[in-house]
Amino acid sequence: MMRRILVSVILLLVPYTVSADEISNSASQVTKTVTISAPRTTETNNLDKLPENAPRPIRIGVAVSVNEISKISDQSGTFDGSLDLQLRWNDPTVAFDAKKTGVNRLVFPQEAAAKKLATIWNPAITLTNAKVQVLEQGIFIYADGTVVHIQRLKGTFDANYRLAAFPFDTQALPIRLVSRKYNMNQVVLIQEQIDINKSGLRQGINLVTWKPKRIEFATSRTRGWNGEYFSEMEARILVARLPQASLFAIFIPFLLILLIPTVMTLYAKADTAPRLTAWSASILSLIALNFSFSTRYAALESDSFVMQLVTIGFGYQMGMTLLTVTLLSPPITDRISNKLIVPEVLGYLRWTIPPTLIGIILTKAMLTALS
């Protein structure tokens, strides 16, 4: 009887023993999972921290070398180009003994550079006015802890064109760099002589209607969403427009719109009605030309040379229309007692109005080009 009772008790205890083992194993697995994931989080946080023993703010040297400018679009406000961007900083944690390693710098090209960059601290500098493609990159680490990160980039950059002096304008094509991860107390963008020496425009950059001049740098700061200020640098590629092609596209239709009805009004024998018809067509043509300029060059401002030229044209058309309905209108001239005055005045106007119009346009163009 006692034996049966013992067997029954053992059978009742076996399921609970197995369940306890399973729970113990599950807890062990959970503990192992947490133990594995924790070092990864710690490693990521360490990479976000600024290098130890490095002076604050960490100075990031910036050099930009422009290899190509393939397209400048006034209409879309963009330009396409390729450039080499070099970032330089000092990180004491990656310094090494040159005597032990046998070299004074370590080189990491292409894929090795991307892998190395994922294991060391970097300033996280971004281009704010472009979507770019990284073509090539490399990292040099020197024995004293100097890190040089070089990237060859290609992309389309946004630009804010000012066409007040068009077509005699010089544009500054911007390349904007900013450190959005670290504020100005942590990271600041600078340019020392070594960076200036490595910056510039490659010889042989060829643009159809533009002439590259030089590259300039300007440092500033930008306010982040959290109220902190971040270091910003803008590399400006100065390019001067070659005005020859644009001048033909502007002046030839403009002069034709004004001079054809002028010749008909001052030199051809016609009644008042055909002359007014010619000036009406001239006014409509100038309106269409103005619309074409505004569409083609969206950045044109009201004080730009082209808009001032259009204003001169409308004023000239108004003056010639008034002349047509006064001195050139028979009902008006018949009322003048001295019949010799009108021919004398018309003879004077024939030789002064067209040269005066052309002189005003050329003077305005020269002043704009020299300003």
Side-chain angles (χ1 to χ4, degrees):
M1 185 66 179
M2 291 298 297
R3 184 177 299 176
R4 290 181 179 180
I5 294 173
L6 288 175
V7 171
S8 300
V9 170
I10 292 172
L11 290 175
L12 290 173
L13 290 176
V14 167
Y16 292 100
T17 306
V18 174
S19 299
D21 292 338
E22 291 178 352
I23 293 173
S24 176
N25 292 336
S26 299
S28 176
Q29 292 176 358
V30 171
T31 303
K32 291 178 181 179
T33 302
V34 173
T35 303
I36 292 174
S37 61
R40 295 181 181 178
T41 305
T42 304
E43 181 180 355
T44 303
N45 292 336
N46 288 336
L47 291 180
D48 290 341
K49 294 180 179 179
L50 297 176
E52 296 181 359
N53 301 325
R56 304 292 192 270
I58 298 178
R59 297 159 61 87
I60 311 298
V62 178
V64 175
S65 177
V66 180
N67 301 317
E68 181 184 14
I69 302 174
S70 56
K71 181 181 178 182
I72 298 177
S73 176
D74 299 309
Q75 189 171 9
S76 61
T78 60
F79 69 95
D80 297 341
S82 172
L83 57 93
D84 291 342
L85 172 63
Q86 175 180 296
L87 303 176
R88 175 181 54 85
W89 66 91
N90 187 267
D91 183 355
T93 61
V94 298
F96 59 90
D97 190 342
K99 293 182 179 180
K100 291 183 178 180
T101 57
V103 293
N104 64 347
R105 74 171 185 178
L106 305 176
V107 182
F108 302 88
Q110 298 295 355
E111 295 182 0
K115 294 179 180 178
K116 185 63 179 179
L117 195 65
T119 62
I120 63 175
W121 179 87
N122 71 87
I125 305 299
T126 58
L127 284 165
T128 61
N129 67 323
K131 291 183 179 179
V132 299
Q133 175 187 4
V134 179
L135 303 180
E136 298 176 325
Q137 67 173 331
I139 292 180
F140 300 90
I141 300 179
Y142 292 83
D144 62 352
T146 299
V147 181
V148 178
H149 183 205
I150 302 176
Q151 301 177 79
R152 175 157 293 178
L153 309 173
K154 182 179 181 180
T156 299
F157 300 80
D158 296 327
N160 183 21
Y161 296 111
R162 298 186 61 86
L163 302 181
F166 172 84
F168 308 100
D169 54 324
T170 297
Q171 298 295 336
L173 310 181
I175 301 170
R176 300 188 185 95
L177 303 167
V178 66
S179 173
R180 294 195 181 279
K181 192 173 183 180
Y182 303 99
N183 60 39
M184 293 193 66
N185 294 326
Q186 299 170 320
V187 165
V188 62
L189 302 179
I190 64 164
Q191 262 215 327
E192 296 179 343
Q193 190 60 47
I194 185 174
D195 306 308
I196 296 174
N197 294 340
K198 293 184 178 180
S199 301
L201 304 179
R202 182 182 62 83
Q203 296 293 331
I205 295 179
N206 188 18
L207 292 167
V208 177
T209 58
W210 297 88
K211 180 182 178 181
K213 299 177 67 176
R214 62 184 182 277
I215 185 170
E216 298 179 346
F217 292 85
T219 57
S220 60
R221 63 178 187 174
T222 181
R223 186 182 176 90
W225 63 269
N226 57 358
E228 295 182 338
Y229 286 94
F230 299 85
S231 182
E232 185 177 37
M233 179 177 289
E234 183 174 278
R236 300 167 182 167
I237 308 168
L238 298 183
V239 291
R241 192 190 303 268
L242 301 177
Q244 292 83 356
S246 300
L247 284 176
F248 281 105
I250 294 173
F251 281 120
I252 290 180
F254 180 76
L255 290 176
L256 289 176
I257 288 172
L258 297 183
L259 291 181
I260 289 178
T262 298
V263 172
M264 184 176 179
T265 300
L266 297 178
Y267 301 98
K269 292 183 179 181
D271 295 333
T272 303
R275 291 169 177 169
L276 290 178
T277 301
W279 284 113
S280 299
S282 175
I283 293 172
L284 293 176
S285 299
L286 187 56
I287 293 174
L289 185 64
N290 183 30
F291 178 78
S292 176
F293 287 153
S294 301
T295 303
R296 174 64 180 84
Y297 305 102
L300 280 175
E301 301 175 357
S302 59
D303 61 342
S304 64
F305 168 70
V306 174
M307 291 295 102
Q308 292 181 20
L309 203 63
V310 172
T311 302
I312 292 173
F314 282 127
Y316 179 81
Q317 289 172 337
M318 181 179 295
M320 292 302 295
T321 302
L322 292 175
L323 179 63
T324 302
V325 299
T326 54
L327 289 179
L328 298 177
S329 177
I332 302 297
T333 57
D334 291 342
R335 296 180 181 181
I336 300 176
S337 59
N338 191 342
K339 302 300 181 182
L340 298 178
I341 293 179
V342 175
E344 289 292 333
V345 172
L346 290 178
Y348 175 78
L349 293 178
R350 287 190 181 100
W351 298 107
T352 55
I353 290 180
T356 301
L357 174 64
I358 296 175
I360 291 174
I361 294 174
L362 292 179
T363 302
K364 186 63 181 175
M366 293 178 62
L367 292 176
T368 304
L370 295 175
S371 61

